[in-house]
Amino acid sequence: MNLERLVRRQALSHPVRALLTVGAVAVAMFLLCFLRSIVTSLDAAVKESSGRRIITASAVSLFQALPASYSAAIAEVDGVATVSRFTWFGGVYKDPENFFAQFGTDPQLLLDQYPEIELPAEHKQAWFDDKRGAIVGIGIAEKYGWSVGDTVPLLGTIFPRAGGEPWEFTVRGVYRSTRANVDEMTMYFHWTLLDEALESGESMGPRGTSVYLIRLDDGWEGEEVAQAIDDYYAGGPQRTRTQPEAAFQADFVNMMGNLPTFLGMIGAAVLVAILFGVVNTMTIAARERLRSMGILKAMGFSDRVPIRLYLMESTMLVLIGGGLGIGLAWLTQPGLRAMFGTFIPVYQVAGETYLAATVACVGIGLLAGLIPALRAARLRPVEALRRGA
Amino acid sequence: MARRLVPFSYPLRSLAVRWQASLLSALGIAMSIAVLCGVFALRSGFQALHAETGAKDVVVYMRKGATSEGESGIPLDRVNTYRVMPEVARDEQGQPLAAGESYLALFLAKADDLGLVNVPIRGVEPASLKIHGKAFRIVEGRALAFGSDEIVVGRPISRRIHNCQLGDTLLVNVTPFKVVGIFDHDGAYQSEIWGDVDRIAAALDRPMRQRVVARMAPGVDVAAHIARIADDKRIPSKAMTERDYFIAQMGFLGDVLVILGNLLGGILGIAAMLGAANTMLAAVGSRTREVGVLRSVGFGQTAILLAFLTEAAVIGLAGGLIGCLMVLPLDGIETGTMNWKTFTETAFAFRVDAPLLLTAIGVSVALGLVAGLVPAWRAAWLRPVEAMRRG
């Protein structure tokens, strides 16, 4: 007696019902993968961060610039190899909806400190040589159709130009990133260009630097260097908080508040909904099959056969649906990445999500098959034959 | 005879016979309705905080080009230029109701020790309190004494943030400030900390103001004034009414919640609908003989169709009611999330109101009906004789 074949036959005895169940599971599993991926993608930037870089920012406010004079003092601290400056520019490209990050920074230091940024050698030199030059991530270059040599106008919001006209940057390079902690949706330009414009009055806005990025000397631990910097500025003029790159990135995720919890709760509701759906299908199926189960038992099959039949059928239904949903999650990655844009620049479905979703499918399948299976096992053949219509 | 309808009790009793399957599909619909309602209750609480609270005769001025207070900067000497504008209302002593306010989102620790959030600290002048009038009220402790290192804290913030209870001391950069009062505000100010603008500017080493806020004198054409000030020679400003200012702050998060709510509700709704369709298909399948009998005693196709549609609608209705019951306890629960527009922690309460619940029930009945459409159609087109033989 071939059990697998019987399972297949039974599952397909009502093709519409099987289809509806598979569809419902597929849709819900896709949603589950999607929700989980938002959380893991946000975390990915944190996990991939380098332990050899620490970041000094204001301890008072995310929006408070540090004095430019700090960079010389930080460079003197033992364990500091290089210090680069990053200023959040906050410019608007044509429309405020076109949001992407722009930083004024020290070009050579940036590329030294971030081997993750891949830029062709000729682009590097061209950027170093052009004071108005900028490099952009492949993501925004594709989104806005920029290529090397193009001029990008950005209207200053924190740093408006005195005449009200936009800033103009020339694209000198397009970079790619090799790790998730560096996104491909950012624009970098010369920090000195901004500082000189503020000095001369061509631009308004706060002087200074949003953060200092420090690469550690070999043999030094981030914690002691960070402590030394923060102690030095404990009495002001601006208190600093220095932390590893990972912790700095994690702060941003935490600021989203209880987003992971919130999405987790919805995910749980989805799981319960899938379970209900499959239990429903299996209950209906079991009701209709009372008589055939009775026949099986009357023929002398043990209790284990109906149990296995139901467990296999429900697991099969869930796995097919789940497989479709998981496949959909895999297929939609590029589209969703484009949709999220700068919000989650590295959206992707992690390997552990595929695994967790598959495990969830098997679990739901077994659980949903259990109720009719146990009922069928307890069934007395005569009764089943009489009751089943 | 052809117009006779199947009595209403028939679908109800049929549901009761198959109560397990009916309940499971209703629960499936309930789940999707609960998620949909939960997200929309969140949005509606957030929206209530911003949309209905700002004053229409209070104007907020920021530096031209700035899209939020955080980006704006107005030099101190310009603030007086705003004060003497003829459109500005005056109090009983003849003082202009205009104030230069500073604004900075501070890193503060959450009371539950789960990391840092951005909480705005606003430096205000005595005139600020008069401008905001009754919307701003001290509910605990006392009002701010100008000239000293004191702060008053919005009620939800005092609970959510460390060192913000009455009597606590909060370190602002390197200066300790004492919490002397807790205030309430119907709008977004309830998520802020207020102190004397001069003391706060000194503590933060930020001499600039971020905005000027002014109450307009009665009879002033506010829209014309806003248009004029945009291209003013001395103080070109991005100006808007306080009401519009709050609405502008809502932008992104409000949109995200709408998209999220629709997306989640839609996807779950489809899944729940497929489940309900299954139940209805099985219901029709197992009652083939009954349908045959009904048809042969003279009930028409329409009557059969309506009977099964009613059954499906009742499943939807039950799901909707259960879903609403599930979200009802959320009403009034205070929560906080980051407002992506300002990047600051905003505290607000879930809001489950009658329109939301009614919409939810409407949606769930519709889900039930759509799920019942094909099965009901199938039942209506059964041929009586065959149905009786087959069943």
Side-chain angles (χ1 to χ4, degrees):
Chain A
M1 170 76 195
N2 186 340
L3 214 55
E4 280 75 29
R5 213 168 123 208
L6 186 56
V7 169
R8 221 168 29 238
R9 282 274 173 94
Q10 286 205 330
L12 291 178
S13 64
H14 279 83
V16 181
R17 182 201 298 154
L19 208 65
L20 288 174
T21 312
V22 165
V25 174
V27 164
M29 266 300 161
F30 163 72
L31 187 59
L32 211 59
C33 291
F34 168 69
L35 293 176
R36 181 78 204 133
S37 299
I38 293 180
V39 177
T40 57
S41 301
L42 285 171
D43 281 343
V46 177
K47 290 204 183 106
E48 295 269 288
S49 298
S50 160
R52 301 310 300 161
R53 291 186 292 248
I54 58 176
I55 293 175
T56 299
S58 165
V60 176
S61 169
L62 178 65
F63 308 92
Q64 175 66 54
L66 291 173
S69 63
Y70 279 26
S71 98
I74 291 174
E76 294 298 310
V77 174
D78 288 338
V80 174
T82 54
V83 188
S84 66
R85 301 167 285 199
F86 284 78
T87 294
W88 173 265
F89 184 69
V92 168
Y93 176 63
K94 289 183 180 166
D95 186 303
E97 299 287 310
N98 298 332
F99 175 83
F100 60 93
Q102 310 112 25
F103 288 100
T105 186
D106 299 297
Q108 291 188 342
L109 285 170
L110 172 81
L111 299 180
D112 283 348
Q113 291 180 329
Y114 279 100
E116 295 96 324
I117 297 179
E118 271 187 352
L119 193 64
E122 65 272 22
H123 288 184
K124 277 186 196 173
Q125 202 52 51
W127 184 34
F128 295 161
D129 293 343
D130 180 5
K131 230 171 117 176
R132 293 179 171 282
I135 59 167
V136 297
I138 180 87
I140 44 171
E142 280 174 357
K143 184 169 177 190
Y144 300 116
W146 299 332
S147 46
V148 173
D150 286 357
T151 298
V152 176
L154 291 181
L155 204 59
T157 55
I158 308 170
F159 304 101
R161 295 187 73 89
E165 75 282 7
W167 292 72
E168 289 190 338
F169 298 97
T170 311
V171 177
R172 289 298 171 201
V174 176
Y175 73 84
R176 287 175 186 275
S177 163
T178 55
R179 287 170 81 97
N181 59 323
V182 176
D183 63 60
E184 294 175 335
M185 303 293 286
T186 303
M187 174 180 194
Y188 298 98
F189 62 92
H190 291 253
W191 184 86
T192 44
L193 175 78
L194 178 62
D195 195 54
E196 283 166 17
L198 290 168
E199 173 78 48
S200 69
E202 278 172 67
S203 165
M204 296 180 279
R207 297 287 295 272
T209 304
S210 305
V211 301
Y212 290 102
L213 192 118
I214 296 149
R215 194 166 60 80
L216 297 171
D217 267 329
D218 291 340
W220 285 85
E221 286 303 317
E223 278 169 35
E224 42 183 329
V225 178
Q227 196 62 53
I229 296 170
D230 292 348
D231 286 348
Y232 186 79
Y233 288 113
Q238 287 290 339
R239 282 189 298 122
T240 60
R241 182 168 60 241
T242 307
Q243 48 187 351
E245 191 182 31
F248 185 79
Q249 302 251 30
D251 268 357
F252 275 89
V253 178
N254 286 337
M255 273 171 211
M256 307 246 177
N258 24 34
L259 189 71
T261 326
F262 179 62
L263 295 182
M265 271 168 62
I266 297 174
V270 175
L271 267 181
V272 175
I274 304 179
L275 184 65
F276 283 165
V278 185
V279 168
N280 190 11
T281 304
M282 292 311 296
T283 321
I284 294 169
R287 233 183 134 86
E288 287 172 1
R289 276 188 223 137
L290 266 180
R291 181 188 287 228
S292 55
M293 285 303 140
I295 293 175
L296 272 183
K297 289 188 121 179
M299 281 163 69
F301 283 98
S302 75
D303 288 352
R304 295 228 301 276
V305 173
I307 295 185
R308 277 172 66 189
L309 271 177
Y310 282 126
L311 291 185
M312 281 168 75
E313 182 180 344
S314 73
T315 313
M316 187 183 84
L317 282 176
V318 182
L319 274 179
I320 294 175
L324 286 174
I326 295 169
L328 194 64
W330 177 72
L331 276 177
T332 50
Q333 285 180 91
L336 288 171
R337 199 176 301 137
M339 187 190 92
F340 280 126
T342 45
F343 174 54
I344 308 177
V346 288
Y347 174 84
Q348 66 169 6
V349 185
E352 50 160 316
T353 304
Y354 293 122
L355 190 69
T358 313
V359 171
C361 283
V362 175
I364 288 177
L366 292 178
L367 207 58
L370 208 58
I371 301 165
L374 289 180
R375 193 180 285 174
R378 260 183 286 144
L379 203 64
R380 285 176 46 211
V382 183
E383 220 176 282
L385 286 171
R386 199 183 302 140
R387 271 208 338 225
Chain B
M1 192 71 176
R3 287 175 173 264
R4 227 175 80 199
L5 292 180
V6 182
F8 188 59
S9 60
Y10 173 71
L12 283 188
R13 291 201 176 164
S14 304
L15 279 174
V17 168
R18 314 173 60 84
W19 67 272
Q20 282 165 315
S22 311
L23 185 67
L24 280 171
S25 2
L27 282 178
I29 291 181
M31 276 293 176
S32 57
I33 291 295
V35 169
L36 188 74
C37 277
V39 177
F40 274 86
L42 202 63
R43 175 175 180 268
S44 122
F46 182 68
Q47 194 172 31
L49 196 62
H50 292 90
E52 299 151 22
T53 52
K56 276 188 247 178
D57 59 346
V58 170
V59 176
V60 172
Y61 305 87
M62 292 181 289
R63 192 196 52 212
K64 208 173 176 181
T67 58
S68 71
E69 256 181 286
E71 294 170 351
S72 169
I74 297 173
L76 199 49
D77 55 340
R78 295 289 169 85
V79 174
N80 285 327
T81 318
Y82 285 99
R83 261 192 253 278
V84 297
M85 292 185 301
E87 294 95 337
V88 174
R90 292 181 176 261
D91 65 9
E92 305 84 54
Q93 284 84 43
Q95 293 299 312
L97 288 175
E101 296 181 346
S102 71
Y103 173 97
L104 183 70
L106 298 180
F107 281 128
L108 294 180
K110 284 200 212 175
D112 54 11
D113 281 330
L114 289 176
L116 296 170
V117 286
N118 298 312
V119 179
I121 187 164
R122 181 180 298 283
V124 295
E125 294 181 14
S128 302
L129 301 180
K130 290 181 185 161
I131 294 165
H132 296 301
K134 289 197 191 81
F136 172 93
R137 48 200 185 269
I138 297 285
V139 292
E140 234 183 286
R142 61 173 172 82
L144 204 60
F146 283 87
S148 50
D149 290 342
E150 295 180 350
I151 47 175
V152 290
V153 178
R155 190 180 41 76
I157 291 295
S158 76
R159 276 206 288 271
R160 297 175 68 84
I161 305 296
H162 209 53
N163 286 339
C164 281
Q165 306 266 10
L166 195 63
D168 285 353
T169 302
L170 186 74
L171 190 69
V172 178
N173 193 10
V174 290
T175 313
F177 278 70
K178 195 165 167 56
V179 180
V180 298
I182 306 294
F183 72 86
D184 220 338
H185 185 267
D186 305 323
Y189 294 139
Q190 69 171 21
S191 300
E192 295 185 346
I193 296 171
W194 285 16
D196 179 347
V197 66
D198 292 319
R199 303 304 311 150
I200 286 172
L204 292 172
D205 190 23
R206 283 164 65 98
M208 293 249 249
R209 302 295 186 251
Q210 269 61 52
R211 73 171 193 185
V212 173
V213 58
R215 185 169 282 279
M216 295 289 100
V220 168
D221 182 345
V222 178
H225 168 67
I226 287 172
R228 179 187 73 75
I229 203 81
D231 297 310
D232 190 87
K233 285 271 186 320
R234 284 179 304 164
I235 41 170
S237 316
K238 177 161 185 169
M240 54 183 93
T241 64
E242 190 185 44
R243 193 183 194 84
D244 289 344
Y245 180 71
F246 280 147
I247 292 172
Q249 280 189 343
M250 184 167 67
F252 189 60
L253 185 58
D255 293 350
V256 166
L257 288 176
V258 172
I259 295 172
L260 193 71
N262 284 330
L263 190 84
L264 293 172
I267 292 180
L268 275 176
I270 292 173
M273 206 172 68
L274 297 177
N278 249 344
T279 306
M280 287 308 297
L281 271 181
V284 173
S286 69
R287 269 185 286 164
T288 307
R289 180 189 293 220
E290 280 176 38
V291 174
V293 173
L294 285 172
R295 291 278 277 129
S296 60
V297 298
F299 288 103
Q301 284 183 324
T302 322
I304 301 291
L305 189 78
L306 283 178
F308 280 95
L309 277 184
T310 311
E311 202 171 316
V314 172
I315 290 182
L317 181 68
L321 290 174
I322 298 171
C324 286
L325 282 179
M326 283 163 79
V327 290
L328 217 49
L330 281 182
D331 188 41
I333 289 184
E334 245 172 32
T335 181
T337 190
M338 192 178 77
N339 181 348
W340 280 313
K341 179 91 185 186
T342 57
F343 239 67
T344 57
E345 176 83 355
T346 305
F348 57 95
F350 280 89
R351 187 157 143 160
V352 183
D353 48 14
L356 179 66
L357 293 178
L358 286 177
T359 315
I361 289 176
V363 169
S364 56
V365 171
L367 281 180
L369 281 176
V370 175
L373 216 51
V374 173
W377 191 261
R378 214 185 240 194
W381 285 88
L382 282 173
R383 290 175 51 196
V385 181
E386 248 177 66
M388 282 200 289
R389 198 181 301 142
R390 263 208 339 223

